[in-house]
PDB file of all heavy atoms in Angstrom:
ATOM      1  N   ASP A 102     -16.116  25.936  11.396  1.00 97.00           N
ATOM      2  CA  ASP A 102     -15.781  25.187  12.627  1.00 97.00           C
ATOM      3  C   ASP A 102     -14.288  25.140  12.886  1.00 97.00           C
ATOM      4  O   ASP A 102     -13.838  25.266  14.017  1.00 97.00           O
ATOM      5  CB  ASP A 102     -16.324  23.738  12.521  1.00 97.00           C
ATOM      6  CG  ASP A 102     -15.986  23.006  11.284  1.00 97.00           C
ATOM      7  OD1 ASP A 102     -15.343  23.579  10.350  1.00 97.00           O
ATOM      8  OD2 ASP A 102     -16.341  21.809  11.166  1.00 97.00           O
ATOM      9  N   SER A 107      -9.952  26.385  16.473  1.00 96.00           N
ATOM     10  CA  SER A 107      -8.519  26.592  16.473  1.00 96.00           C
ATOM     11  C   SER A 107      -8.126  27.874  17.266  1.00 96.00           C
ATOM     12  O   SER A 107      -7.116  27.888  17.917  1.00 96.00           O
ATOM     13  CB  SER A 107      -8.013  26.735  15.033  1.00 96.00           C
ATOM     14  OG  SER A 107      -8.219  25.558  14.310  1.00 96.00           O
ATOM     15  N   ALA A 110      -8.227  27.046  20.874  1.00 97.00           N
ATOM     16  CA  ALA A 110      -7.071  26.233  21.228  1.00 97.00           C
ATOM     17  C   ALA A 110      -5.791  27.075  21.325  1.00 97.00           C
ATOM     18  O   ALA A 110      -4.887  26.757  22.123  1.00 97.00           O
ATOM     19  CB  ALA A 110      -6.902  25.152  20.170  1.00 97.00           C
ATOM     20  N   THR A 142     -16.251   4.791  -3.811  1.00 98.00           N
ATOM     21  CA  THR A 142     -15.389   3.615  -3.914  1.00 98.00           C
ATOM     22  C   THR A 142     -14.545   3.652  -5.185  1.00 98.00           C
ATOM     23  O   THR A 142     -13.484   3.056  -5.207  1.00 98.00           O
ATOM     24  CB  THR A 142     -16.247   2.311  -3.903  1.00 98.00           C
ATOM     25  OG1 THR A 142     -17.249   2.370  -4.927  1.00 98.00           O
ATOM     26  CG2 THR A 142     -16.889   2.100  -2.548  1.00 98.00           C
ATOM     27  N   GLY A 212     -21.559  23.360 -15.420  1.00 96.00           N
ATOM     28  CA  GLY A 212     -21.202  22.143 -16.154  1.00 96.00           C
ATOM     29  C   GLY A 212     -19.783  21.633 -15.971  1.00 96.00           C
ATOM     30  O   GLY A 212     -19.381  20.713 -16.643  1.00 96.00           O
ATOM     31  N   ARG A 234     -15.947  37.939  21.221  1.00 97.00           N
ATOM     32  CA  ARG A 234     -14.926  38.095  22.282  1.00 97.00           C
ATOM     33  C   ARG A 234     -15.597  37.988  23.611  1.00 97.00           C
ATOM     34  O   ARG A 234     -16.604  38.678  23.883  1.00 97.00           O
ATOM     35  CB  ARG A 234     -14.220  39.455  22.169  1.00 97.00           C
ATOM     36  CG  ARG A 234     -13.310  39.600  20.985  1.00 97.00           C
ATOM     37  CD  ARG A 234     -12.383  40.830  21.052  1.00 97.00           C
ATOM     38  NE  ARG A 234     -13.153  42.061  21.145  1.00 97.00           N
ATOM     39  CZ  ARG A 234     -13.214  42.812  22.246  1.00 97.00           C
ATOM     40  NH1 ARG A 234     -12.573  42.457  23.362  1.00 97.00           N
ATOM     41  NH2 ARG A 234     -13.911  43.955  22.249  1.00 97.00           N
ATOM     42  N   ALA A 282     -30.744  31.202  -4.029  1.00 95.00           N
ATOM     43  CA  ALA A 282     -31.666  30.330  -3.312  1.00 95.00           C
ATOM     44  C   ALA A 282     -31.176  28.891  -3.308  1.00 95.00           C
ATOM     45  O   ALA A 282     -31.329  28.188  -2.258  1.00 95.00           O
ATOM     46  CB  ALA A 282     -33.059  30.418  -3.976  1.00 95.00           C
TER      47      ALA A 282
END
Side-chain angles (χ1 to χ4, degrees):
D102 53 357
S107 297
T142 54
R234 290 193 300 111

